[in-house]
Amino acid sequence: SMNKFKILLSFSFIIFFSGASFAEVAPSDVVADEYGAVTASLTGVAGDPVNGRKVFMNRKQGNCLACHVNSEMSEQTFHGAVGPVLDGVADRWTAAELRGMLVNSKKVFEGTIMPAFYKDNGYNRILKKFEGKTILKAQQVEDVLAYLQTLKE
């Protein structure tokens, strides 16, 4: 199918260009499979779990604790219970699936209220100052992903 072809093409692109400099993938160019998983890195640069942890807890960036419990951050006062508990999340989902959830969770879970953190259009009633912008930058998505991958049971 065309999707498998696109995925294979993106794999060979990554392998071929891994030695070269890597252009950031624009939100509209992110390739997801039919389940919303995103295999290819958005930046070609390994995520930094230490920075990812900061983005995760930052109320103006990831703000993940507004909806998710995360025992690894027990020093943080408020943990929401709207979304699933993230303890052991790396054991339940692949990196590609987690990246897809961060990029646009609505492609993974129909009807979720989780924001699409790497989408820059298609919103209703958006404030002008946010038009054409993503909630997180591509490297921040990769950093949060690297942090989530440390959350094992």
Side-chain angles (χ1 to χ4, degrees):
S1 74
M2 196 62 187
N3 264 353
K4 282 200 174 119
F5 175 73
K6 281 185 186 169
I7 291 168
L8 282 172
L9 195 66
S10 61
F11 265 117
S12 39
F13 180 83
I14 290 164
I15 292 162
F16 185 76
F17 288 104
S18 57
S21 66
F22 188 95
E24 200 171 274
V25 178
S28 55
D29 294 335
V30 173
V31 177
D33 70 14
E34 59 187 309
Y35 305 107
V38 177
T39 306
S41 166
L42 302 179
T43 62
V45 176
D48 171 4
V50 175
N51 189 56
R53 186 178 195 274
K54 291 175 188 159
V55 173
F56 182 107
M57 76 168 76
N58 186 313
R59 303 283 178 196
K60 288 189 165 70
Q61 292 177 353
N63 197 20
C64 308
L65 291 174
C67 296
H68 296 280
V69 169
N70 176 8
S71 299
E72 196 280 318
M73 287 186 179
S74 53
E75 83 281 0
Q76 296 295 309
T77 49
F78 175 81
H79 293 228
V82 177
V85 173
L86 294 182
D87 299 10
V89 73
D91 297 323
R92 294 191 296 280
W93 302 98
T94 66
E97 289 166 332
L98 289 169
R99 184 183 289 108
M101 290 172 208
L102 293 169
V103 166
N104 187 355
S105 59
K106 285 151 188 67
K107 287 187 175 177
V108 183
F109 304 112
E110 202 179 325
T112 182
I113 63 162
M114 181 170 164
F117 285 97
Y118 197 65
K119 181 180 163 188
D120 62 2
N121 60 38
Y123 294 107
N124 299 325
R125 299 180 306 277
I126 187 145
L127 291 169
K128 283 280 178 234
K129 69 176 184 176
F130 295 127
E131 219 165 90
K133 294 194 170 74
T134 58
I135 298 173
L136 295 180
K137 292 176 174 48
Q139 192 58 50
Q140 290 176 314
V141 171
E142 293 300 321
D143 291 352
V144 171
L145 173 62
Y147 170 68
L148 291 174
Q149 290 180 287
T150 68
L151 302 180
K152 297 180 183 286
E153 292 292 5

